[in-house]
Each structure stands twice: as C-alpha cells, then as structure tokens.
C-alpha cells in the first residue's frame, strides 16, 4: 500500500447472535492484524440498532471487514445493509450467506452437483418431542444457527423422547440428520484455493461450541493424517461447495469421514461456514499459516478482495 493513502477499514464485530463473544475475540485479533499492515482501522460493536450502525458507517469506510458470526452477521442481513449503502465488504454476499446459513437449503443446492450428503428430515418441534422421526442414531440440528449451537446426538437404542420439552432450544423446526460415524474433517478455502484438511479430535462427544472456542478442548491435526486421495477429495468438495453456493473471499466446509468405508466413499458433507472463526485458535487461520499465509497477510488478503455483490 506504499505511495497512497492507507485504506480505512471498519471491522464489524459482536452482534446479537449466540456467537457474540467469539465474534468479539475474532474482531479484536483482526483489528490488531490490520493495523500492523498499515490500514486505518475502526472497530464497531454491532447492536440491533440500524440508525446506530449507519452512524458508525458515516463517513463511509473504504472497506467493511465483517467479523460477525451467526444470525444477523452470517445470514445475509448485514450484507444487505452494506449493499444498500454501497460499501465494499469482506466474505460472501447476501445470497450465498443466506443459503449457507440454512442447512437444509445448502444441502438441497449442493445435492444438485453431486455433493455426498447425509439423509435428513426437516421435522416440527411436536414431531421430535413425540418420538423418533428417524431410526437412531441421528443428529438434531437447528436449521439456521451456526457454531454447533444446540446440536444433539441421539444414540441407537435411545428410549423416550430425543429431547425433553424444557430443553428445546431450536425454534419451530429442526433438521434431523442420519448420524455419520467416523472422523471430523474441515477444509478452509481462500479465493479459488482449498488450503488443506484439518482433523478435529474433540475431547467432548463431538466438536461442540465449547470445544470449538476453548483452548485444550479440541486438538487440531493439521494437516490431517489421512490418505492422500481422501484429502484431495475433501479439498475438491470444499471448493465445489464454495463455488456452487456463490461464496466470496474465504469459507470453511466441514465433513465427516467414515474411515471404515473404502476409498473416498466415507466422505460426507456437513455444512459450509461463510464467516469462519477468526480467533488465533481458529481453523482457517491455522490452515493458512500451514500453507505459508500469516494471520496478518490473510486479513490483508481478505480486505483487498472485499466487494459489493449487488
């Protein structure tokens, strides 16, 4: 950026979703990194207040770095506001954000390009509380929350309701998905490049919210110690998901791999995150570092590839 004025970047963080705290940590790290690259940076803790947000974006920055996670930040809502204002912003646009946030819609779209996906049923609260809507083992997931909030595994032979009514946290409908045994893999994408494959070995039953954001709760094996053909296929599928959903900038796709099946047949797509975690512990920055892209350089790359998509 030598020889001309440094870019003004506003980092949007916080928000009002279940992932507010993580977003604040991501945002603080991003601010530090961008300042180290010579950008003029302003941090904004986004509240559910449109007038306040518009005031914070006046005068308009050159770029908005979207460090929000979950509802409001990852689902097309903030993206629509930024399109309306004509401010270039990082990560995916309105449509890709909205589709990727909805797990059922993501699977419908990706099913058309041959993505391996687990069988699922979209079920009402009443149906799930009344009994099994699918033969266990299965997984209950909110359709539109990020970060494994509220994910529950129902094991084979489970008696009684899958969830007690007083523990229901999901809204009116949920996705009930066939449980895929095996290992948890994730692949980060930067631009048109899938970085590498990380295996997540969680101390909890699966990679839940606590494991995701607490040091020591999950071991990231980067690169994953898996056959080369499986790694290459996971990378191909992650890039296919990124491109098919219309993602921009960076994304991260999660998979299960049943290593009891031959070749690549055990790979199963779970979801694509259009706003992957950006704490120093996070998976995408760790993969970028593995391929030689530092945290600060990654943040800089993301800013330089900001756009309006409307």
């Amino acid at each position: 950026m030598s020889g001309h004025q440094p870019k003004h970047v506003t980092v949007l963080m916080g928000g009002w979703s279940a992932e507010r705290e993580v977003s604040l940590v991501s945002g603080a790290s991003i601010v530090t990194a961008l300042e180290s690259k010579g950008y003029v940076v302003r941090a904004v803790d986004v509240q559910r207040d449109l007038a306040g947000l518009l005031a914070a974006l006046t005068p308009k920055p050159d770029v908005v770095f979207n460090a929000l996670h979950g509802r409001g930040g990852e689902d097309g809502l903030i993206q629509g506001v930024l399109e309306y204002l004509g401010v270039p912003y990082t990560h995916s646009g309105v449509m890709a954000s909205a589709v990727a946030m909805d797990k059922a819609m993501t699977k419908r779209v990706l099913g058309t390009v041959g993505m391996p996906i687990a069988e699922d049923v979209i079920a009402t609260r009443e149906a799930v509380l009344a009994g099994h809507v699918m033969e266990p083992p299965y997984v209950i997931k909110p359709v539109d929350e990020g970060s494994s909030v509220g994910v529950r595994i129902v094991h084979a032979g489970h008696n009684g309701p899958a969830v007690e009514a007083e523990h229901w946290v999901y809204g009116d409908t949920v996705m009930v998905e066939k449980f895929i045994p095996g290992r948890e893999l994730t692949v980060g994408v930067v631009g048109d490049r899938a970085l590498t494959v990380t295996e997540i070995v969680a101390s909890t039953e699966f990679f839940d919210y606590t494991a995701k954001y607490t040091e020591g709760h999950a071991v990231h094996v980067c690169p994953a110690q898996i056959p080369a053909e499986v790694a290459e296929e996971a990378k191909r599928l992650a890039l296919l998901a990124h491109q098919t959903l219309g993602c921009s900038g960076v994304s991260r796709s999660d998979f299960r791999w049943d290593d009891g099946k031959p070749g690549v047949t055990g790979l199963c797509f779970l979801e694509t995150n259009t706003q992957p975690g950006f704490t120093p512990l996070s998976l995408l920055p760790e993969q970028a570092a593995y391929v030689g892209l530092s945290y600060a350089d990654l943040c800089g790359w993301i800013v330089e590839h900001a756009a309006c998509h409307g």
Side-chain angles (χ1 to χ4, degrees):
M1 290 189 305
S2 57
H4 58 88
Q5 287 296 100
K7 271 190 181 154
H8 286 72
V9 181
T10 296
V11 179
L12 300 184
M13 55 206 268
W16 59 88
S17 81
E19 299 177 66
R20 170 178 169 78
E21 296 306 319
V22 186
S23 170
L24 289 171
V25 177
S26 290
S29 302
I30 291 160
V31 168
T32 303
L34 291 177
E35 286 176 341
S36 79
K37 301 288 287 181
Y39 294 97
V40 177
V41 188
R42 177 167 184 217
V44 174
D45 182 349
V46 178
Q47 310 297 322
R48 200 161 193 165
D49 166 19
L50 187 55
L53 178 62
L54 296 178
L57 292 172
T58 309
K60 284 185 198 170
D62 297 314
V63 172
V64 162
F65 194 117
N66 179 9
L68 295 163
H69 300 307
R71 282 194 193 164
E74 198 164 349
D75 55 6
L77 194 63
I78 200 82
Q79 291 80 3
V81 173
L82 297 169
E83 290 288 349
Y84 184 83
L85 295 175
V87 180
Y89 57 95
T90 63
H91 298 72
S92 291
V94 175
M95 188 186 73
S97 299
V99 172
M101 190 71 180
D102 184 315
K103 294 186 179 75
M105 189 59 76
T106 297
K107 288 172 75 171
R108 245 176 255 158
V109 170
L110 294 181
T112 65
V113 293
M115 185 69 65
I117 47 182
E119 174 196 338
D120 70 74
V121 179
I122 303 299
T124 63
R125 179 176 189 271
E126 291 69 34
V128 175
L129 293 176
H132 295 305
V133 295
M134 178 187 284
E135 194 61 35
Y138 57 79
V139 184
I140 302 174
K141 300 178 172 182
V143 176
D144 64 352
E145 278 286 357
S147 220
S148 329
V149 173
V151 175
R152 172 181 295 249
I153 298 174
V154 177
H155 295 282
H158 179 93
N159 296 318
V163 185
E164 299 298 330
E166 64 268 23
H167 296 144
W168 188 266
V169 293
Y170 306 100
D172 296 332
T173 57
V174 288
M175 176 183 282
V176 178
E177 188 177 68
K178 185 176 161 59
F179 176 73
I180 306 295
R183 294 155 70 174
E184 191 103 13
L185 305 178
T186 194
V187 181
V189 172
V190 174
D192 53 9
R193 175 187 186 191
L195 299 176
T196 187
V197 185
T198 299
E199 179 178 3
I200 300 143
V201 184
S203 57
T204 47
E205 181 173 28
F206 71 107
F207 189 40
D208 67 5
Y209 193 78
T210 307
K212 205 169 266 194
Y213 298 117
T214 315
E215 220 155 348
H217 270 271
V219 177
H220 301 173
V221 183
C222 177
Q225 304 301 297
I226 59 176
E229 63 168 343
V230 175
E232 286 310 308
E233 179 66 357
K235 286 165 66 177
R236 183 186 77 81
L237 293 174
L239 191 57
L240 178 65
H242 181 94
Q243 292 171 339
T244 305
L245 294 168
C247 298
S248 304
V250 299
S251 70
R252 204 192 78 233
S253 289
D254 300 337
F255 301 88
R256 296 285 287 190
W257 175 50
D258 182 349
D259 56 4
K261 291 187 171 173
V264 299
T265 59
L267 267 177
C268 183
F269 170 87
L270 295 176
E271 65 176 323
T272 294
N273 304 280
T274 55
Q275 297 283 134
F278 246 79
T279 70
L281 285 177
S282 297
L283 292 150
L284 182 84
E286 188 175 57
Q287 290 192 356
Y290 171 75
V291 300
L293 191 59
S294 73
Y295 185 89
D297 286 345
L298 176 62
C299 290
W301 183 94
I302 290 171
V303 165
E304 295 305 323
H305 288 79
C308 283
H309 305 269

